[in-house]
Amino acid sequence: MTGSNTISDENQLANFMQRIEAGEKIEADDWMPEDYRQTLIKLISMHGMSEIMGALPEKEWVPKAPSLYRKLGIMAKVQDEMGHGQLLLRVTEDLLEPYGKNRGDLMQDLFNGDLKFHNVFHMETKSWADAGIIGWLVDGAAIITQTNMLKASYGPYARALQRICAEEVFHAQHGESIIMALTEGTDQQKAMIQESLNRWWEALLMFFGPASKETTGSSKQDLTIRYKIRTKTNEEFRQLFFDKYIPRILSLGLTIPDPTMHFDKENQMWSYKQPDWNEFKKIIKNQGPRSEARLNLRRQSYEYNSWVRDALSHSVR
Ligand SMILES: [Fe+2]
Ligand SMILES: [Fe+2]
């Protein structure tokens, strides 16, 4: 009977919300409302795919890193990021079960443009300083958003983030170490960092996403907060990033490429020039400077390695 189903659904939802409010973890086999499942799938698959696509810009610098020590460092980071991606796609796979989809389908979604990856990983890495800026500030930005979700209501994601965040801290230190070495170097090396920061600044601001619902056209932020997946809005994350990194950037003698940037004492927040949000929309629709090349590389490697997936699926049987 439809009536009793509705009552039962309402009870399940009330019970689910009670568990969330009490700080309990929701597990993969537990009942969950459809919009919770959909929100998690979108969030975690995008996070996982961004880890994989994010390894590519740095991979380009493995052969060009200036010493064996730096090559080993950046290679270990690339390997970690691929591991984060695999871990997160596995978490997503459990959520996809009711739809009969698996991680192979997620990869196809990436290739056909249905699954997006972070704006920063569509950008070019033109100099060695870019490898430093990515580790220091992109991983630094990721640490801000990901540590906020360590207590996420969905248990498998929260547990995966424990390991990921621990490794991200190493990545940020690796990036900081590259930047510190360059700031202590020649004028040319110092200029290289400033040039890199200037190029990456807008992308770093975009990383946290637009501030308001008016810009995003969705209430995704509200939903993730209501379901206790995260506790802060995009703008709150961006402000935390400014609080942490602006003093550090300035202390190295670098300048912020935004003359309007200042701390607004009255509102107790940083005031800054908005990045071009139309450009952001284009980038995440795979129209960024390196979107196509990186997707092609991923597609090629996925096809080339299909024999490994075949061998694994046969050995399980
Ligand atoms: Fe990562
Ligand atoms: Fe990382």
Side-chain angles (χ1 to χ4, degrees):
M1 272 166 61
T2 322
S4 63
N5 279 345
T6 309
I7 290 164
S8 151
D9 282 355
E10 275 174 16
N11 281 345
Q12 277 179 314
L13 182 61
N15 180 39
F16 172 85
M17 285 312 293
Q18 251 174 24
R19 292 184 62 198
I20 296 250
E21 292 302 332
E24 272 184 51
K25 294 288 177 223
I26 306 300
E27 298 298 333
D29 291 337
D30 293 348
W31 184 90
M32 60 184 81
E34 187 61 18
D35 57 357
Y36 182 72
R37 184 183 294 276
Q38 289 293 343
T39 302
L40 287 171
I41 290 173
K42 202 166 173 195
L43 173 77
I44 307 171
S45 63
M46 192 212 170
H47 181 180
M49 223 43 108
S50 297
E51 297 276 2
I52 291 171
M53 297 306 286
L56 302 182
E58 289 183 288
K59 169 191 166 293
E60 293 169 19
W61 278 90
V62 173
K64 295 184 283 184
S67 67
L68 177 63
Y69 173 73
R70 292 296 184 198
K71 282 185 206 300
L72 289 173
I74 198 162
M75 199 148 51
K77 181 179 190 298
V78 167
Q79 206 171 5
D80 281 354
E81 307 296 16
M82 295 304 277
H84 296 170
Q86 296 301 337
L87 206 61
L88 293 167
L89 293 191
R90 181 67 198 92
V91 172
T92 317
E93 210 164 32
D94 279 339
L95 288 161
L96 289 170
E97 218 199 319
Y99 313 116
K101 284 179 80 176
N102 59 27
R103 75 171 76 185
D105 298 312
L106 290 178
M107 204 53 82
Q108 294 311 323
D109 287 348
L110 172 78
F111 296 147
N112 65 32
D114 288 341
L115 203 167
K116 296 179 172 45
F117 61 100
H118 262 300
N119 70 294
V120 278
F121 304 126
H122 295 257
M123 308 309 284
E124 288 176 280
T125 42
K126 288 183 180 170
S127 75
W128 174 240
D130 289 8
I133 292 285
I134 292 176
W136 186 37
L137 299 179
V138 173
D139 287 65
I143 288 171
I144 287 175
T145 58
Q146 289 168 21
T147 50
N148 183 266
M149 295 188 286
L150 282 171
K151 291 189 178 148
S153 56
Y154 188 58
Y157 189 42
R159 288 190 293 272
L161 285 175
Q162 297 282 340
R163 175 173 161 184
I164 292 172
C165 287
E167 291 182 351
E168 295 302 349
V169 173
F170 280 106
H171 299 171
Q173 286 170 353
H174 149 92
E176 202 173 53
S177 157
I178 296 172
I179 295 297
M180 294 302 283
L182 291 175
T183 50
E184 287 163 9
T186 61
D187 287 348
Q188 199 186 356
Q189 285 172 315
K190 287 176 202 162
M192 186 162 75
I193 315 173
Q194 186 64 59
E195 188 275 331
S196 172
L197 181 66
N198 295 351
R199 262 188 300 110
W200 280 87
W201 187 248
E202 272 222 321
L204 285 162
L205 301 190
M206 290 172 178
F207 178 87
F208 300 95
S212 62
K213 268 189 272 181
E214 291 72 42
T215 329
T216 58
S218 82
S219 55
K220 198 175 71 182
Q221 292 191 60
D222 296 348
L223 213 58
T224 50
I225 293 172
R226 178 149 52 90
Y227 283 138
K228 293 194 186 297
I229 297 166
R230 62 169 167 170
T231 63
K232 291 193 185 328
T233 63
N234 292 351
E235 190 55 40
E236 285 170 328
F237 284 138
R238 193 164 20 243
Q239 291 287 327
L240 284 175
F241 176 79
F242 292 147
D243 287 342
K244 184 171 175 183
Y245 287 102
I246 287 185
R248 295 185 190 195
I249 292 170
L250 296 177
S251 76
L252 293 177
L254 297 164
T255 52
I256 309 284
D258 173 3
T260 72
M261 181 117 205
H262 66 279
F263 190 73
D264 178 347
K265 285 193 180 140
E266 202 180 314
N267 295 314
Q268 284 296 300
M269 62 194 296
W270 293 90
S271 168
Y272 59 96
K273 182 174 175 285
Q274 288 294 315
D276 181 349
W277 290 111
N278 287 326
E279 183 62 22
F280 170 77
K281 282 183 202 157
K282 272 172 58 187
I283 292 170
I284 57 169
K285 279 184 190 156
N286 296 335
Q287 291 164 31
R290 298 289 292 163
S291 317
E292 209 185 320
R294 299 226 171 95
L295 280 167
N296 282 341
L297 185 62
R298 185 84 274 276
R299 195 180 285 113
Q300 261 174 22
S301 125
Y302 189 70
E303 284 165 9
Y304 179 74
N305 293 323
S306 65
W307 68 271
V308 180
R309 291 188 296 279
D310 288 347
L312 282 171
S313 64
H314 285 109
S315 68
V316 169
R317 278 177 215 149

